[in-house]
Amino acid sequence: MIQQPQLDYYDMGAGVVAFSSTRHGGCSTGNYASFNINSYCGDNDDHIRQNRKALCLLLGITDDQLVIPHQVHLTKVAKIDEHFMALTTTERQQALEGVDALMTNLRGVCIGVSTADCIPVLLYDRVHHAVCAIHAGWRGTVQRIVQKAVGAMTTAYGTHPQQLVAQIGPGIHLDSFEVGDEVYESFAQAGFDMEAISKKYSPFDSGSKLFTFHSSLFTSKWHIDLPECNRLQLIAAGLSPQSVNVSPVCTFQQAADYFSARRLGINSGRIFTAISLA
């Protein structure tokens, strides 16, 4: 018997269900243990099907109401509407290829993104009753995917940013996200406030939790605060600071409970962060 997936739920308001999955529940094994529904990371197909079934049972939906894109670290936002829901399985896969954010105003449709250190972001328009799920890795963050998603919701549903509630889910945090100079320069050249989103750690700095694992001796390294960078982008897009909530979970530091590609490798499971209108 498959164990029920253990989810972290978010309170984003009445009429909306929002959550991130943990590593607990399900039937996957090894670095996919034990709950993974991402089919693009090398997990056993039968385990993925069983885990999807368990999640749908828990949510009270059918499998075709669970929508997951094939993410590629770009900024394409796909609208999940009646037309999409009428597509065949093959047509759906084609429509979801190269998509890093989903939005919908359909009730009973669960949209979500997969992460394992990248930053998942959920949006809920309380007035127009529309939702969005966003995958913001460092590349998507540099390209301001959350701001583009807010703009897409404005175009599609008439969303006003100040009417949005946002949840930034579990991802890698500042202390653990060591990057090369080229990544730092990507953010700097894109016009970000580097004092607000970055810090340079000495390998002997007690604040650097990465030293034990993979910092190079005697070399200072830049670290980027991806959750903060996305929070600031949401505020710049017009959201109230009070309406943006940030998960305290660092996936790298809590890899026993949440998937972390930096700790487990690319061939490992993915957190599923999702939202649906009840």
Coordinates of all heavy atoms in Angstrom, one line a residue, residues 73-119:
H73 N 14.1 26.4 -17.4 CA 14.8 27.6 -16.9 C 14.6 28.8 -17.8 O 15.5 29.7 -17.8 CB 16.2 27.3 -16.7 CG 16.5 26.2 -15.6 ND1 16.5 26.5 -14.3 CD2 16.7 24.9 -15.7 CE1 16.7 25.4 -13.6 NE2 16.8 24.4 -14.5
L74 N 13.5 28.9 -18.4 CA 13.2 30.2 -19.2 C 12.0 30.9 -18.5 O 11.8 30.7 -17.3 CB 12.9 29.8 -20.7 CG 14.1 29.3 -21.4 CD1 13.8 28.9 -22.8 CD2 15.3 30.3 -21.4
T75 N 11.2 31.6 -19.3 CA 10.2 32.4 -18.7 C 8.8 32.3 -19.3 O 7.9 33.1 -19.1 CB 10.6 33.9 -18.7 OG1 10.7 34.3 -20.1 CG2 11.9 34.2 -17.9
K76 N 8.6 31.2 -20.0 CA 7.3 31.0 -20.7 C 6.2 30.7 -19.6 O 6.4 29.8 -18.8 CB 7.3 29.9 -21.7 CG 6.0 29.7 -22.5 CD 6.2 28.6 -23.5 CE 4.9 28.4 -24.3 NZ 5.1 27.3 -25.3
V77 N 5.1 31.4 -19.7 CA 3.9 31.2 -18.8 C 2.8 30.6 -19.7 O 2.4 31.2 -20.7 CB 3.5 32.5 -18.2 CG1 2.3 32.3 -17.2 CG2 4.7 33.2 -17.5
A78 N 2.3 29.5 -19.3 CA 1.2 28.8 -20.0 C -0.1 29.0 -19.3 O -0.2 28.8 -18.0 CB 1.5 27.3 -20.2
K79 N -1.2 29.3 -20.0 CA -2.5 29.4 -19.5 C -3.3 28.1 -19.6 O -3.4 27.5 -20.7 CB -3.3 30.5 -20.2 CG -4.7 30.8 -19.7 CD -5.3 31.9 -20.5 CE -6.7 32.3 -20.1 NZ -7.4 33.3 -20.9
I80 N -3.7 27.6 -18.4 CA -4.5 26.4 -18.4 C -6.0 26.7 -18.4 O -6.5 27.1 -17.4 CB -4.1 25.5 -17.2 CG1 -2.6 25.3 -17.1 CG2 -4.8 24.2 -17.2 CD1 -2.0 24.6 -18.4
D81 N -6.6 26.5 -19.6 CA -8.0 26.9 -19.7 C -8.8 25.7 -20.2 O -8.3 24.6 -20.3 CB -8.1 28.1 -20.7 CG -7.4 27.9 -22.0 OD1 -7.1 26.7 -22.3 OD2 -7.2 28.9 -22.7
E82 N -10.0 26.0 -20.6 CA -10.9 24.9 -21.1 C -10.3 24.2 -22.3 O -10.5 23.0 -22.5 CB -12.3 25.4 -21.4 CG -13.1 25.8 -20.1 CD -12.8 27.3 -19.7 OE1 -11.9 27.9 -20.3 OE2 -13.6 27.8 -18.9
H83 N -9.7 25.0 -23.2 CA -9.1 24.5 -24.4 C -8.0 23.5 -24.1 O -7.9 22.4 -24.6 CB -8.6 25.6 -25.3 CG -7.8 25.1 -26.5 ND1 -8.3 24.5 -27.6 CD2 -6.4 25.1 -26.7 CE1 -7.4 24.2 -28.4 NE2 -6.2 24.5 -27.9
F84 N -7.1 23.9 -23.1 CA -6.1 23.0 -22.7 C -6.6 21.7 -22.1 O -6.1 20.6 -22.5 CB -5.1 23.6 -21.7 CG -4.1 22.7 -21.1 CD1 -2.9 22.6 -21.8 CD2 -4.3 22.0 -20.0 CE1 -1.9 21.7 -21.3 CE2 -3.4 21.1 -19.5 CZ -2.2 21.0 -20.1
M85 N -7.6 21.8 -21.3 CA -8.2 20.6 -20.6 C -8.8 19.6 -21.6 O -9.0 18.5 -21.3 CB -9.2 21.0 -19.6 CG -8.6 21.9 -18.4 SD -7.2 21.0 -17.5 CE -8.1 19.7 -16.7
A86 N -9.2 20.1 -22.8 CA -9.8 19.3 -23.8 C -8.8 18.6 -24.7 O -9.2 17.7 -25.5 CB -10.8 20.1 -24.7
L87 N -7.5 18.9 -24.6 CA -6.5 18.4 -25.4 C -6.2 16.9 -25.1 O -6.5 16.4 -24.0 CB -5.2 19.1 -25.2 CG -5.2 20.6 -25.7 CD1 -3.8 21.2 -25.3 CD2 -5.5 20.8 -27.1
T88 N -5.7 16.2 -26.0 CA -5.2 14.8 -25.8 C -4.0 14.8 -24.9 O -3.3 15.9 -24.8 CB -4.9 14.1 -27.1 OG1 -3.8 14.7 -27.7 CG2 -6.1 14.1 -28.1
T89 N -3.6 13.6 -24.4 CA -2.4 13.6 -23.6 C -1.1 14.0 -24.4 O -0.3 14.8 -23.8 CB -2.1 12.1 -23.1 OG1 -3.3 11.7 -22.3 CG2 -0.9 12.0 -22.3
T90 N -1.0 13.6 -25.6 CA 0.1 14.0 -26.4 C 0.1 15.5 -26.7 O 1.2 16.2 -26.6 CB 0.1 13.3 -27.8 OG1 0.2 11.9 -27.5 CG2 1.3 13.8 -28.7
E91 N -1.1 16.1 -27.0 CA -1.2 17.5 -27.2 C -0.8 18.3 -25.9 O -0.2 19.4 -26.0 CB -2.6 17.9 -27.7 CG -2.9 17.4 -29.1 CD -4.3 17.5 -29.5 OE1 -5.2 17.5 -28.6 OE2 -4.6 17.6 -30.7
R92 N -1.2 17.8 -24.8 CA -0.9 18.4 -23.5 C 0.6 18.5 -23.3 O 1.2 19.5 -22.9 CB -1.6 17.7 -22.4 CG -3.0 18.0 -22.2 CD -3.5 17.4 -20.8 NE -4.9 17.6 -20.5 CZ -5.4 17.6 -19.3 NH1 -4.6 17.2 -18.3 NH2 -6.6 17.8 -19.1
Q93 N 1.3 17.4 -23.5 CA 2.7 17.3 -23.4 C 3.4 18.3 -24.2 O 4.4 19.0 -23.8 CB 3.2 15.9 -23.7 CG 2.8 14.9 -22.6 CD 3.3 13.5 -23.0 OE1 3.5 13.2 -24.1 NE2 3.4 12.6 -22.0
Q94 N 2.9 18.5 -25.5 CA 3.5 19.5 -26.4 C 3.3 20.9 -25.9 O 4.2 21.7 -25.9 CB 2.9 19.3 -27.8 CG 3.3 18.0 -28.5 CD 2.5 17.7 -29.7 OE1 1.5 18.4 -30.0 NE2 3.0 16.8 -30.5
A95 N 2.1 21.1 -25.3 CA 1.7 22.5 -24.9 C 2.5 22.8 -23.6 O 2.8 24.0 -23.3 CB 0.2 22.6 -24.6
L96 N 2.9 21.8 -22.8 CA 3.7 22.0 -21.6 C 5.2 22.0 -21.7 O 5.9 22.2 -20.7 CB 3.2 21.0 -20.5 CG 1.7 21.1 -20.1 CD1 1.4 19.9 -19.2 CD2 1.5 22.4 -19.3
E97 N 5.6 21.8 -22.9 CA 7.1 21.7 -23.2 C 7.7 23.1 -23.1 O 7.2 24.0 -23.7 CB 7.4 21.0 -24.5 CG 8.8 20.9 -24.9 CD 9.6 19.9 -23.9 OE1 8.9 18.9 -23.5 OE2 10.7 20.2 -23.6
G98 N 8.8 23.2 -22.3 CA 9.5 24.5 -22.3 C 8.7 25.6 -21.5 O 9.0 26.8 -21.6
V99 N 7.9 25.1 -20.5 CA 7.1 26.0 -19.7 C 7.6 26.1 -18.3 O 7.9 25.0 -17.7 CB 5.6 25.6 -19.7 CG1 4.8 26.4 -18.7 CG2 5.0 25.7 -21.1
D100 N 7.8 27.3 -17.7 CA 8.2 27.4 -16.4 C 7.3 28.0 -15.4 O 7.6 28.2 -14.2 CB 9.6 28.2 -16.4 CG 10.7 27.3 -16.8 OD1 11.0 27.2 -18.0 OD2 11.4 26.7 -15.9
A101 N 6.1 28.3 -15.9 CA 5.0 28.9 -15.0 C 3.6 28.5 -15.6 O 3.5 28.5 -16.9 CB 5.1 30.4 -14.8
L102 N 2.7 28.2 -14.8 CA 1.3 27.9 -15.2 C 0.4 28.8 -14.5 O 0.6 29.2 -13.3 CB 1.0 26.5 -14.8 CG 1.8 25.3 -15.4 CD1 1.4 24.0 -14.8 CD2 1.7 25.3 -16.9
M103 N -0.7 29.2 -15.1 CA -1.8 30.0 -14.5 C -3.1 29.4 -14.9 O -3.3 28.9 -16.0 CB -1.6 31.5 -14.8 CG -1.7 31.8 -16.3 SD -1.5 33.6 -16.6 CE -1.7 33.6 -18.4
T104 N -4.1 29.6 -14.0 CA -5.5 29.1 -14.4 C -6.5 29.8 -13.5 O -6.2 30.3 -12.4 CB -5.6 27.6 -14.2 OG1 -6.8 27.2 -14.8 CG2 -5.6 27.2 -12.7
N105 N -7.7 29.9 -14.0 CA -8.8 30.3 -13.2 C -9.9 29.2 -13.1 O -11.0 29.5 -12.8 CB -9.4 31.6 -13.7 CG -10.0 31.5 -15.1 OD1 -9.8 30.5 -15.8 ND2 -10.6 32.6 -15.6
L106 N -9.5 28.0 -13.5 CA -10.4 26.9 -13.5 C -10.4 26.2 -12.1 O -9.4 26.0 -11.5 CB -10.0 25.8 -14.5 CG -10.0 26.3 -16.0 CD1 -9.6 25.1 -16.9 CD2 -11.4 26.8 -16.4
R107 N -11.6 26.0 -11.6 CA -11.7 25.3 -10.3 C -11.4 23.8 -10.5 O -11.7 23.2 -11.5 CB -13.1 25.5 -9.7 CG -13.4 27.0 -9.4 CD -14.6 27.1 -8.5 NE -14.9 28.6 -8.2 CZ -14.3 29.2 -7.2 NH1 -13.4 28.6 -6.5 NH2 -14.5 30.5 -7.0
G108 N -10.8 23.2 -9.4 CA -10.5 21.8 -9.4 C -9.3 21.4 -10.2 O -9.0 20.2 -10.3
V109 N -8.6 22.3 -10.8 CA -7.4 22.0 -11.6 C -6.2 22.4 -10.7 O -6.0 23.5 -10.3 CB -7.3 22.8 -12.9 CG1 -6.0 22.5 -13.6 CG2 -8.5 22.4 -13.8
C110 N -5.3 21.4 -10.5 CA -4.1 21.6 -9.6 C -2.9 21.9 -10.5 O -2.5 21.0 -11.3 CB -3.9 20.4 -8.7 SG -2.5 20.6 -7.6
I111 N -2.4 23.1 -10.5 CA -1.2 23.4 -11.3 C 0.0 23.5 -10.3 O -0.1 24.0 -9.2 CB -1.4 24.7 -12.1 CG1 -1.7 25.9 -11.1 CG2 -2.4 24.6 -13.1 CD1 -1.7 27.2 -11.8
G112 N 1.2 23.0 -10.8 CA 2.3 23.1 -9.9 C 3.6 23.0 -10.7 O 3.7 22.7 -11.9
V113 N 4.7 23.3 -10.0 CA 6.1 23.2 -10.6 C 7.0 22.4 -9.7 O 6.7 22.1 -8.5 CB 6.7 24.7 -10.7 CG1 5.9 25.5 -11.7 CG2 6.7 25.4 -9.3
S114 N 8.0 21.9 -10.3 CA 9.0 21.0 -9.7 C 10.3 21.7 -9.4 O 10.8 22.4 -10.2 CB 9.2 19.8 -10.6 OG 8.0 19.1 -10.9
T115 N 10.8 21.5 -8.1 CA 12.1 22.1 -7.8 C 12.9 21.2 -6.9 O 12.3 20.3 -6.2 CB 11.8 23.5 -7.0 OG1 11.1 23.2 -5.8 CG2 11.1 24.5 -7.8
A116 N 14.2 21.5 -6.8 CA 15.1 20.8 -5.9 C 16.3 21.7 -5.6 O 17.4 21.4 -6.0 CB 15.5 19.5 -6.4
D117 N 16.0 22.9 -5.0 CA 16.9 24.0 -4.7 C 16.4 25.3 -5.4 O 16.6 26.3 -4.8 CB 18.3 23.7 -5.1 CG 19.0 22.7 -4.2 OD1 18.6 22.5 -3.0 OD2 19.9 22.0 -4.6
C118 N 15.8 25.2 -6.6 CA 15.2 26.3 -7.2 C 14.1 26.8 -6.4 O 13.6 26.1 -5.5 CB 14.8 26.0 -8.6 SG 16.1 25.6 -9.8
I119 N 13.6 28.0 -6.7 CA 12.6 28.6 -5.9 C 11.2 28.5 -6.5 O 11.0 29.0 -7.6 CB 12.9 30.1 -5.7 CG1 14.3 30.3 -5.2 CG2 11.9 30.8 -4.7 CD1 14.6 29.6 -3.9

